[in-house]
Amino acid sequence: MKDANLSLVIPCYNEQAYLPACLSAIIPQLLPGDELIVVDNNSTDKTSQLATKYGAKVIQEQRQGQVFAQDTGFKTAINQFLVRLDADTILPGDWLARVRQHFAQGALAVSGPARPRDVQFQRLSQFMVHLSFYSFRLIIGGFPMFGSAYAIRKTTWQTCQPGLHRLPNIWEDMELGIVLHKLGLQVVYDKQLVASVSARNVVGVSYWRAVGYQLYAPRTLAVNRMYFRACMSFIERLLVVIVATPIILIEHLLNKTKPSHKQTKGRL
């Protein structure tokens, strides 16, 4: 199989502060036939203008919500291999090449870990991200998808559609992983597919909002009628909050003088 042509989809809502770095990391990795799509979800800043400047195809989605913007991008994509990125994601130089290799080997869905970059305790934060992936694997029965950077065949995504709820206050990437595993479709977890991401859902919002965001995980499981696993997830997220609270509070103090961004990745 020759190099797979990719359609990269980036849902955006007021992302002018993050989008240039994201696109600058992507463009050198693109091959002829690849497609770069930015879905503007009612932005009031210069998101669309910046995306156009970098050569991306800009699509408008009026329904407010990350999942709607993502779906519109996936449906519009012309290629059969989809890559989903957040606007604050910065990919290392070999990320797309590794994804192409996985698709060439028959992978249906590919995901990897993250490296939070705008925190003081980067190694500890990355360790906790890794730990979360493996704890979710135990809870849902397989590796989850990581919404900041994952790849999936378009036909596989289409197969999952009847099982997706598209509700607010759930982790839509986690739900996609749940549906994949329910259907017996494997997610390839590549530890080398490390994406640099913002920790704005933790350090860019209030403490209680950061804690509340962690409860999206058990809610996602409950919506999918996995009630016992939702209880397990609630306990697991509670432990994460207890362990992470001193770190979060220190990060808030250290970042107190830095400008905050109202936009968070969990919702648009």
Side-chain angles (χ1 to χ4, degrees):
M1 176 182 178
K2 64 179 183 179
D3 287 331
N5 286 134
L6 306 173
S7 287
L8 291 80
V9 175
I10 309 173
C12 289
Y13 173 67
N14 291 343
E15 295 287 9
Q16 68 177 18
Y18 291 98
L19 193 58
C22 175
L23 297 178
S24 295
I26 291 170
I27 290 172
Q29 303 185 50
L30 296 178
L31 298 180
D34 287 344
E35 182 182 32
L36 180 56
I37 300 172
V38 168
V39 186
D40 189 341
N41 199 203
N42 303 310
S43 296
T44 57
D45 64 0
K46 296 182 179 180
T47 292
S48 287
Q49 295 94 315
L50 284 169
T52 301
K53 178 182 176 182
Y54 280 85
K57 179 191 296 185
V58 178
I59 301 171
Q60 303 294 327
E61 172 52 59
Q62 300 300 319
R63 295 172 297 171
Q64 196 67 39
Q66 182 165 275
V67 67
F68 298 122
Q70 170 188 293
D71 282 3
T72 295
F74 281 1
K75 289 175 183 177
T76 305
I78 61 175
N79 293 319
Q80 290 303 306
F81 301 96
L82 308 174
V83 175
R84 160 71 167 84
L85 301 172
D86 278 333
D88 62 48
T89 299
I90 299 177
L91 299 179
D94 64 343
W95 201 94
L96 293 184
R98 292 187 67 88
V99 165
R100 295 181 208 274
Q101 290 175 3
H102 283 297
F103 281 136
Q105 294 166 4
L108 300 177
V110 185
S111 192
R115 180 183 295 114
R117 64 178 178 272
D118 48 2
V119 292
Q120 302 298 322
F121 305 100
Q122 290 193 4
R123 289 185 179 275
L124 181 58
S125 297
Q126 187 175 0
F127 171 76
M128 293 184 70
V129 170
H130 276 289
L131 192 62
S132 292
F133 265 92
Y134 283 95
S135 64
F136 286 149
R137 182 188 185 187
L138 292 174
I139 291 170
I140 71 175
F143 282 114
M145 301 292 273
F146 180 52
S148 291
Y150 70 77
I152 188 169
R153 291 175 185 257
K154 190 168 186 177
T155 52
T156 303
W157 175 76
Q158 291 168 336
T159 300
C160 293
Q161 292 309 291
L164 300 176
H165 292 84
R166 297 177 177 82
L167 295 175
N169 301 336
I170 67 172
W171 285 349
E172 79 284 345
D173 49 351
M174 183 180 188
E175 182 175 54
L176 179 58
I178 290 170
V179 174
L180 284 167
H181 297 306
K182 282 184 176 180
L183 295 173
L185 305 176
Q186 183 181 5
V187 174
V188 174
Y189 179 72
D190 183 349
K191 292 186 290 186
Q192 301 303 313
L193 277 178
V194 182
S196 171
V197 300
S198 170
R200 51 180 163 164
N201 278 328
V202 176
V203 300
V205 297
S206 71
Y207 170 77
W208 290 111
R209 187 169 181 180
V211 171
Y213 182 66
Q214 299 305 313
L215 298 182
Y216 286 17
R219 187 172 190 271
T220 303
L221 289 157
V223 164
N224 285 274
R225 299 184 179 182
M226 303 170 74
Y227 301 116
F228 177 71
R229 296 186 184 192
C231 293
M232 292 173 59
S233 178
F234 178 81
I235 295 170
E236 183 266 346
R237 290 290 91 186
L238 183 61
L239 291 174
V240 167
V241 168
I242 291 172
V243 172
T245 287
I247 302 170
I248 294 173
L249 294 177
I250 292 172
E251 291 285 356
H252 276 229
L253 288 172
L254 294 175
N255 287 279
K256 195 172 183 180
T257 60
K258 295 182 181 180
S260 62
H261 298 274
K262 291 184 179 181
Q263 167 60 25
T264 61
K265 291 184 290 184
R267 300 173 66 182
L268 292 184

